[in-house]
Amino acid sequence: MTPEAGKPWPRLLLGSLIFGVGAWLLFSFRDRYVVLLLAGALLAWQALPAGFKARALLLSAAACLLDFAVSGLGLYRLVGVGGLPLWRVVLWLSFSCWWLRLLAVWRPSPRLLALVGAFAADGPRIGGAGVTVDKKAVLADLWIN
C-alpha cells in the first residue's frame, strides 16, 4: 500500500481548492483564461484512473447537452455566444473529474448529497454567474420523496 492510498483527503482537498479557483476564474473571466484552464481540465482528466475516464467524458457530455438544451429552450441565455461556450465545456469537464474523485473517496447518503447540493448551489451566483436556486422547494422535494 502506498502512503497516499491511506490518506486520500489531503489530495482531495487540494484538488477541491484548485477546482474552486478554476471555476471562479471561469465564472469571473469567461473566455480570458479558457485555454489555460482547458489544459488544466485535460490534465485532471488524464490523471483519472482508467475506469473513470470514460465516465468523466460521459458526465461532461450529459451536462453539456443539458446546458445546451436549457439554453436552447430560453430558460437562460449567455450574452455574446451561440449555444454553448468553450468555458462551459471546460467547467463541466473539470467538475466531472473532481466529482468522480470525490465520490471515489466519500459515499454520502442520497439525502445528505442533495442537502449539500441545495446549499452549495449559491456558489455560482457568488462567483458571478447569476444563478439562484429556491432552497425551500429543493428541500421540500427531497423530504417528500
Side-chain angles (χ1 to χ4, degrees), residues 16-66:
S16 298
L17 179 66
I18 291 169
F19 170 71
V21 169
W24 176 78
L25 285 170
L26 283 171
F27 280 128
S28 298
F29 299 106
R30 311 267 189 231
D31 292 323
R32 191 172 301 161
Y33 300 112
V34 73
V35 174
L36 179 66
L37 294 169
L38 176 62
L42 290 174
L43 283 174
W45 178 78
Q46 185 64 29
L48 285 174
F52 288 154
K53 288 183 181 183
R55 288 185 215 169
L57 289 178
L58 184 62
L59 183 62
S60 299
C64 288
L65 284 174
L66 181 64

